[in-house]
Amino acid sequence: TNQTLMADAKATETVNLAGNLDGAGHTISAVDGVDYVISNTARLIEATAGSTIQNLVIDGKEVYSGEFGIRGIYTIGTGDITIQNVKILNCTYGINANNAGKLTVLNSTLQSWNSFGKTTENRFENVTFTAGPEYANFRPYNNTVCKNCEFTGVTIDLSCMVAGATITFDQCTVNGQPLKESDLS
């Protein structure tokens, strides 16, 4: 269902989203001691396609949930997901995308390890990727477009891309400098 967050919230369980969430500038934060594990993956927000998440801060508070860490947003289902004006901080993984469809991230900050699955086509515009408390990786698997993105202290790992997938960087920077071929691994 469509929801608007009316105040900062502590997630005492995984937030299951099937619809639109407008954070209205508020924060959803993890709580120490809560088990966010679903199907062997810890997630603060599980977004089922098609969903939109906007105007929100997601703070993992460096809460570690078992050997898998905690994901700020974990995507599932078939369809498109849009994330706009969102900051994901202090999570083991910012976004772990597994939806079959498009993931569009606009005007956002994604900290830590960000991984975008084999069935997810990605578009990032005006997104800042930063190192997190444990990881600093950008790892797309499928077709990806990055426009006006900044990578700060982050490894851009293209080794996992599926055969035939393409990636385009348009006006992107790494640590404040224009992105170059040697920045890719």
Side-chain angles (χ1 to χ4, degrees), residues 144-160:
T144 300
V145 173
C146 296
K147 183 174 182 178
N148 298 321
C149 292
E150 165 66 26
F151 298 87
T152 302
V154 172
T155 299
I156 301 172
D157 181 0
L158 306 182
S159 66
C160 56

Side-chain angles (χ1 to χ4, degrees), residues 15-152:
V15 177
N16 294 304
L17 177 66
N20 300 323
L21 174 61
D22 185 342
H26 296 292
T27 299
I28 291 178
S29 59
V31 178
D32 196 24
V34 172
D35 184 2
Y36 296 100
V37 175
I38 300 172
S39 304
N40 294 325
T41 305
R43 50 198 85 160
L44 196 53
I45 294 179
E46 179 179 282
T48 302
S51 294
T52 297
I53 301 171
Q54 61 185 356
N55 308 317
L56 181 65
V57 176
I58 299 167
D59 189 347
K61 298 282 189 182
E62 295 188 42
V63 168
Y64 184 82
S65 184
E67 67 182 285
F68 302 105
I70 189 167
R71 282 116 176 108
I73 298 176
Y74 185 86
T75 70
I76 61 171
T78 301
D80 300 341
I81 294 178
T82 299
I83 298 169
Q84 184 170 339
N85 300 321
V86 171
K87 289 183 182 179
I88 302 176
L89 309 169
N90 302 310
C91 294
T92 314
Y93 307 90
I95 296 177
N96 188 193
N98 288 295
N99 59 299
K102 293 180 182 173
L103 173 68
T104 302
V105 183
L106 307 167
N107 306 315
S108 295
T109 299
L110 308 180
Q111 189 182 53
S112 296
W113 184 311
N114 289 277
S115 179
F116 311 98
K118 294 177 181 178
T119 60
T120 309
E121 293 199 20
N122 311 290
R123 178 170 178 80
F124 304 97
E125 190 167 340
N126 301 316
V127 175
T128 300
F129 296 91
T130 65
E134 295 180 52
Y135 297 110
N137 300 77
F138 172 77
R139 197 169 204 213
Y141 286 74
N142 204 345
N143 297 329
T144 300
V145 173
C146 296
K147 183 174 182 178
N148 298 321
C149 292
E150 165 66 26
F151 298 87
T152 302

